[in-house]
Amino acid sequence: MTKWLLAAGVLMPLYSAQATQDPEAVYNRVCGACHSGQLPMAPERGDQEAWTPRLAKGMGTLVQHVTQGFKAMPPRGLCMDCSAEDYQAIILWMSE
């Protein structure tokens, strides 16, 4: 029972909280350095072909990849003041 309560406490903020930062501003400040074409493996904003298989993994997985780092993605995507909600909003904005 304790494990379930802990899991619920960890996951609830992902579903109930809102992003506190403007996704475009964060992209311009941090994400664009890699996601605007400089790194061929970093999906560019609006590139549906690159984003579709990533989105199929689920938002939780994508936020985890950003938070923990994944392949060439550095931990937290170098945005030290971003929350999980901010990452989710940025991912959605970039994948439009």
Side-chain angles (χ1 to χ4, degrees), residues 73-95:
M73 169 75 83
R76 303 197 59 80
L78 298 179
C79 183
M80 300 308 160
D81 63 339
C82 286
S83 66
E85 294 79 22
D86 291 326
Y87 292 130
Q88 182 173 348
I90 295 162
I91 291 166
L92 291 173
W93 184 82
M94 287 177 60
S95 64

Side-chain angles (χ1 to χ4, degrees), residues 20-49:
T20 59
Q21 300 186 61
D22 175 52
E24 185 175 3
V26 174
Y27 174 85
N28 290 333
R29 188 181 82 221
V30 183
C31 310
C34 296
H35 287 274
S36 60
Q38 285 79 352
L39 293 178
M41 60 282 225
E44 293 184 50
R45 181 176 186 268
D47 182 349
Q48 297 299 312
E49 188 176 328

Side-chain angles (χ1 to χ4, degrees), residues 1-13:
M1 182 65 169
T2 303
K3 290 180 184 178
W4 285 107
L5 291 174
L6 180 60
V10 169
L11 295 176
M12 285 297 284

Side-chain angles (χ1 to χ4, degrees), residues 38-69:
Q38 285 79 352
L39 293 178
M41 60 282 225
E44 293 184 50
R45 181 176 186 268
D47 182 349
Q48 297 299 312
E49 188 176 328
W51 279 106
T52 299
R54 288 170 170 85
L55 291 169
K57 294 177 181 180
M59 186 58 70
T61 299
L62 293 177
V63 170
Q64 181 181 8
H65 286 171
V66 175
T67 305
Q68 296 178 358

